[in-house]
Amino acid sequence: MHRGWHGAGRGGRGPGRGGWQQADLPGADDASAWLQGRLPDDWFTGAPEVTIDREEIVIVGELPPVEGEFADTESGRADRAAAVAGRISRFRESTREERIEIARQAEHRYQRKVAWGARIGDAVELFTVASVPVMTRLRQPERIVLDTLVDSGVARSRSDALAWAVRLVGQHADEWLGELREAMARVDELRTKGPTAGPSSEG
């Protein structure tokens, strides 16, 4: 459904499964279904793409394509891009109040911030997504990699370089990351099916 946490996401539920886990964070396994039932039927052409992590729920829906013929020229492509931008802007403005109310309800239910986006074909625009700081410790060889990216002009700072590296891994390791998430889901399923400790027989 997307390249984030698959389906309804992997909201922290229960103990274990790595340092990123937050045991007190409500689960979000039903978030996609809840949003599908809550969103107006005429907003998007189909079910929206819902990406979830510990901090944020991002909802991106497909809008109807723009009408009219656009020549396959530089000018025509520019006109089409402008029409797409205008259509997305109109959606953003006309749905603002209702999106705020839906986000308020979702934030209360799932204890995560909600961000929105819209897509028309290959054009995607996100509305006010969160930028969350992540603390980490790096050894010198790793710092040198970041500094090389900064010195070469690829990134503006070490934090920007680290974000660039994460995006690059996400682009080139998407299949492996998907398999990893599926394996995590199977572990969760097996954990719920496991035996539970009964009452002790010792007096």
Side-chain angles (χ1 to χ4, degrees):
M1 188 175 187
H2 53 73
R3 287 187 291 273
W5 297 120
H6 186 71
R10 311 253 355 115
R13 297 178 61 178
R17 203 178 62 208
W20 55 266
Q21 186 75 24
Q22 289 184 355
D24 58 347
L25 188 67
D29 293 338
D30 65 344
S32 291
W34 185 86
L35 286 165
Q36 186 172 351
R38 180 62 181 82
L39 295 176
D41 294 335
D42 59 349
W43 274 14
F44 305 126
T45 60
E49 177 183 290
V50 180
T51 309
I52 302 170
D53 65 8
R54 291 184 301 172
E55 290 85 15
E56 188 176 29
I57 300 174
V58 180
I59 308 162
V60 179
E62 181 80 23
L63 302 181
V66 295
E67 299 177 354
E69 297 293 332
F70 299 94
D72 190 17
T73 62
E74 183 176 350
S75 176
R77 288 188 290 272
D79 287 345
R80 185 185 185 283
V84 166
R87 171 67 58 82
I88 293 177
S89 178
R90 183 178 70 182
F91 169 81
R92 182 176 185 178
E93 294 301 323
S94 64
T95 62
R96 185 185 303 276
E97 291 187 5
E98 193 162 5
R99 284 189 294 105
I100 290 174
E101 175 59 22
I102 294 172
R104 185 190 65 80
Q105 296 174 11
E107 288 171 4
H108 176 75
R109 182 182 178 95
Y110 299 110
Q111 299 299 301
R112 294 161 170 84
K113 292 296 183 182
V114 173
W116 299 85
R119 178 194 309 274
I120 298 180
D122 295 332
V124 181
E125 183 176 339
L126 299 178
F127 312 149
T128 319
V129 294
S131 179
V132 180
V134 178
M135 300 299 294
T136 186
R137 294 181 180 274
L138 300 177
R139 297 184 183 278
Q140 187 183 56
E142 297 158 337
R143 298 196 303 270
I144 289 175
V145 171
L146 298 185
D147 290 340
T148 300
L149 293 173
V150 173
D151 294 342
S152 64
V154 172
R156 294 170 294 180
S157 63
R158 281 182 171 179
S159 60
D160 190 36
L162 186 58
W164 181 89
V166 171
R167 288 194 299 270
L168 187 66
V169 170
Q171 291 171 2
H172 293 280
D174 192 59
E175 182 177 355
W176 178 81
L177 290 172
E179 292 176 355
L180 180 60
R181 293 177 191 123
E182 290 177 3
M184 291 164 60
R186 288 195 294 270
V187 170
D188 274 354
E189 184 178 356
L190 290 173
R191 183 183 291 119
T192 61
K193 294 179 179 179
T196 57
S200 175
S201 60
E202 297 180 1

